[in-house]
Structure formats: C-alpha cells, structure tokens
Amino acid sequence: MLNVMREQTNPVPQRSNSLPYDVVALVLQGGGALGAYQAGVYEGLHEAGIRPNWLAGISIGALNAAIIAGSPEGERVARLREFWETICAFSIEWPAGEGLANALPFAFDISSVRNAMAAARALIQGQPGFFKPRFPSPLWSPFSGDAATSFYDTAPLHRTLEKLVDFDRLNSGDVRVSVGAVNVRTGNLTYFDTAERRLGPKHFMASGALPPGFPAVEIEGEHYWDGGVVSNTPLSRVLSGEPCDTLTFQIDLWSAKGRVPHDMMEVSSRQKDIQYSSRTRAVTDQVLRMQKMRQALQRTIAKLPDAARHDPEIRAIAEMARHRCYNIVHLIYQTKIHEGHSRDYEFGLSAMRAHWQSGLDDIRRTLADPRRLDPPAPELGIVTHDVHRRD
C-alpha cells in the first residue's frame, strides 16, 4: 500500500488552466534521491490546477517527467508516489526513535545516521526497482561492455518505467517532453524530444546514466551518459525554443550559493553543489538580450514606410520581433543541516518523505501570492522569482 503523506498547511486555491501563457513549462534538474523534492512541487502544482504542457528534465528530473507525462492526469501524483516508494523501499528505521538519541551521552543526530546508513545500503545493495550492484566488480571483470564500465546494473529501472509509464500517452503530444543526455563519443549534449521523435524507456535511462555508477545507454548506434555531465538544468532548452509567452517552474536540487567548507566532507558536498547547480542567470541574461533586440527591431520597423512594412521579408522579421514574455518561478531545494555529501544517494523512505514535503511546502508558499504568475511588464519582458530563498 502506498504511503499517504499528510500536510497540515491548507493547500492554495485551485487556479484554472487559463494562464496567460502559450507554454507552462516544468524544468527538472538532476540530483538523485533529492528528486523527491520535485515530486512534492508537482503535487502542489497539481492541486492548484496548474498543468504544465512542457516537461524538460535531466537525470532524476527526466524520470519524474516520464512518470508525469506517461500517467493519466488524475493518477500522476499517485504514480509519482508509487515510483518513489518503490525505489526507496529500503528504509532504516530505529525502534527507539528519537528516544535513542536522547538516551545517548553525546550529541547524536538520528536523521544524519539514518540517512548515512541508507546511503551505505544503496552503495552496497542497490535500490529495488532502480539499480543493483554488479558481481564481479567491474574492476575485476574479465568482460567488456557494461559489466566492465559501470558498478551497477540498471535493468530494474527499465522494468519500473515499463510498469509505471504509458509511453503511448507520453508520446501523444498532449504534453511535450524533452530530456537531456550526453553523447559519449562526441561529448555533445543531446535532447530527446517528443516534438521530434518517439521516446521510450531507454531515452530516460540515458538521461540518468551517471558514470561510473551506471552504464552508458545505446540508442541508434550511439552511447549516452547522464546529461548532468555537461549541463544539469534544461532551462535553455525551454527558453531557446520557438519564442512564445512562457511561464517556467524551474525546480533545482543543488544551490550555487553556499558557505565556505570547514572540513573534507563539506568540501565534497560543496563541490557537488557548484558542479550540478544551474546557471540560471547566464540563461536569463541571454534571453534579456534577445528581448532588447526584438524591441529595437520593432522600433526600427515602425519607422519604415507602409510599402516596405508589407514586404514579405520585413513581415517575417516583424513576426520574429513580436513581443514575448517570460516568467521564471525558481525553487531550489534547501539542504538540511543533517545532510552531507551523500544526500543524492540517500534513498531511505524517511529522507524521501522529507524531501517530498519540502517541495510541497515550498510551492504552496510560492502560489499563495498569485501575482508571481503574472506576466512581466512589457518593458521588461522577463522576470525571475527566487521565492524559495530565505536571505
């Protein structure tokens, strides 16, 4: 039976789907076990009546996107919960609970120990429905191919995706899906997109094939690794598409901002934050430059004689320069004090439920102010709401 998560906070009132945007996008970063935060965010969007029509994901974000797009609308949250309950089935439970921590004569964080043991179990035993360790180790394998180039076998994930995702529905065109992966031979980031091809389990597995843990996935004669090796946030895919009014919910799992490390464990944790965090400012700066160029073209075209403005080429330029607006609602998972460098593979049920609840809380708090979904002023053209930040 699926676990039922309860929340005391009242959900925000439902908002109709008549948002003033052509595209409502959900951009999902990679981050392993932290991806349950994205599932919580989606639950909050769903209960508010917001239905994204473009899902873009990398790694675990791609897997969440597959579950959402490949499920009937009324079953999406339940399917997400089933997926996360499945891959986090190995839990570390302490019979004495918090009482054990209080009874010890030294400072003891039960959550830290529980999460560390969940991470250790994932490394040693794998995770059901997701990956299992190879035997013998690839370091001693006499074979070539997957057995010699990865520590884990991801065949269980293939079966999980086939069970939980309706790929006919995913490819129906109702929701656009884009997932990023890296071509191992060329080193180039590639997007598998339902607007261009039919997607199956392998495309999503390729997006999450992080080396050296997971094997490269072969698709049409090429081999692919996790898209996060090159870029962990597919925001540019959404904003560089055909220009149109776009509302984007960008859900990140790593924060570019953080304190200077105090020990080697914090060094490892901070390195991951920086390596996998998004470069949102660089992307939005580029979009802002494009907005200014469109405005300059509009002013120039307005000065032309009527006859010139009816020229087919000028009309085509005018269409390209038509005003578009971009609203980016940016949420970033806030690392808890008891989480360390292994937080992206701490697949325990307790950690998963906490991540999920954090996402649900954050999006409810965000949507409590409906003005955050309003289009930006025409003179701006683009606005970013970093509503998650506490500073």
Side-chain angles (χ1 to χ4, degrees):
M1 182 178 294
L2 300 181
N3 176 68
V4 178
M5 300 178 188
R6 300 186 181 275
E7 165 62 24
Q8 299 300 320
T9 305
N10 292 326
V12 298
Q14 281 208 353
R15 177 160 180 152
S16 70
N17 284 324
S18 57
L19 292 167
Y21 299 94
D22 303 311
V23 171
V24 178
L26 183 60
V27 172
L28 304 174
Q29 195 179 71
L34 300 176
Y37 176 81
Q38 298 170 341
V41 170
Y42 180 77
E43 181 180 0
L45 292 174
H46 191 85
E47 71 182 13
I50 297 174
R51 303 291 185 266
N53 56 15
W54 191 348
L55 304 174
I58 297 285
S59 197
I60 197 67
L63 300 183
N64 281 330
I67 301 295
I68 295 168
S71 301
E73 186 174 302
E75 299 178 17
R76 289 172 178 174
V77 174
R79 292 272 185 96
L80 278 171
R81 187 169 289 121
E82 182 175 357
F83 171 72
W84 282 97
E85 293 277 354
T86 296
I87 68 172
C88 296
F90 284 144
S91 62
I92 306 295
E93 300 296 340
W94 293 81
E98 297 298 332
L100 174 63
N102 296 331
L104 292 174
F106 50 85
F108 185 82
D109 187 338
I110 192 74
S111 296
S112 296
V113 174
R114 182 186 291 117
N115 289 356
M117 293 185 70
R121 172 168 271 177
L123 290 176
I124 297 170
Q125 298 182 359
Q127 290 298 132
F130 198 172
F131 58 92
K132 60 183 179 181
R134 295 191 184 278
F135 185 82
S137 164
L139 301 176
W140 304 101
S141 176
F143 309 105
S144 61
D146 292 352
T149 57
S150 61
F151 289 100
Y152 300 95
D153 179 0
T154 53
L157 176 59
H158 193 283
R159 293 190 290 270
T160 298
L161 290 174
E162 288 187 322
K163 174 186 176 183
L164 295 179
V165 178
D166 180 344
F167 283 95
D168 288 335
R169 181 183 297 275
L170 185 148
N171 289 283
S172 67
D174 291 342
V175 178
R176 181 176 178 179
V177 181
S178 308
V179 296
V182 176
N183 185 307
V184 179
R185 181 180 60 83
T186 67
N188 293 330
L189 181 65
T190 298
Y191 278 97
F192 301 119
D193 197 315
T194 55
E196 302 168 353
R197 67 170 80 192
R198 180 180 175 84
L199 303 188
K202 281 191 172 184
H203 298 97
F204 296 91
M205 293 175 68
S207 183
L210 185 64
F214 299 158
V217 175
E218 183 178 358
I219 299 174
E220 298 175 357
E222 295 284 0
H223 291 77
Y224 295 91
W225 273 336
D226 191 307
V229 172
V230 169
S231 175
N232 198 38
T233 309
L235 177 63
S236 59
R237 178 66 176 184
V238 171
L239 298 187
S240 64
E242 181 178 347
C244 53
D245 295 343
T246 303
L247 170 64
T248 299
F249 293 93
Q250 180 185 338
I251 317 303
D252 289 357
L253 304 176
W254 307 93
S255 177
K257 287 188 175 182
R259 70 177 190 179
V260 176
H262 294 289
D263 55 40
M264 291 304 296
M265 295 295 284
E266 289 190 6
V267 168
S268 177
S269 179
R270 188 73 192 110
Q271 179 186 5
K272 281 187 177 181
D273 276 334
I274 295 172
Q275 180 178 356
Y276 294 121
S277 65
S278 65
R279 302 294 179 264
T280 303
R281 177 58 62 84
V283 175
T284 55
D285 283 350
Q286 180 180 5
V287 173
L288 183 58
R289 287 192 294 270
M290 291 295 296
Q291 293 288 76
K292 291 180 178 179
M293 183 180 71
R294 290 191 184 102
Q295 292 170 356
L297 283 172
Q298 290 171 357
R299 292 191 296 268
T300 301
I301 292 172
K303 296 176 182 179
L304 295 176
D306 287 343
R309 275 184 276 175
H310 285 85
D311 182 274
E313 291 187 358
I314 297 298
R315 293 175 63 180
I317 293 173
E319 174 59 25
M320 293 174 61
R322 183 172 61 86
H323 174 75
R324 271 86 174 183
C325 68
Y326 300 91
N327 184 348
I328 302 171
V329 179
H330 190 192
L331 282 76
I332 304 177
Y333 174 69
Q334 302 297 295
T335 301
K336 306 301 184 292
I337 192 170
H338 60 266
E339 294 177 320
H341 74 285
S342 62
R343 61 189 180 278
D344 54 325
Y345 55 93
E346 292 171 359
F347 282 97
L349 283 173
S350 296
M352 181 274 289
R353 290 166 183 160
H355 296 150
W356 186 302
Q357 192 62 53
S358 291
L360 183 56
D361 290 343
D362 283 356
I363 192 62
R364 282 176 173 171
R365 188 162 50 249
T366 298
L367 297 178
D369 183 354
R371 294 173 299 177
R372 288 171 175 152
L373 303 186
D374 292 341
E379 64 271 17
L380 295 177
I382 183 169
V383 63
T384 300
H385 297 284
D386 287 328
V387 294
H388 65 285
R389 295 196 184 279
R390 296 191 179 98
D391 54 349

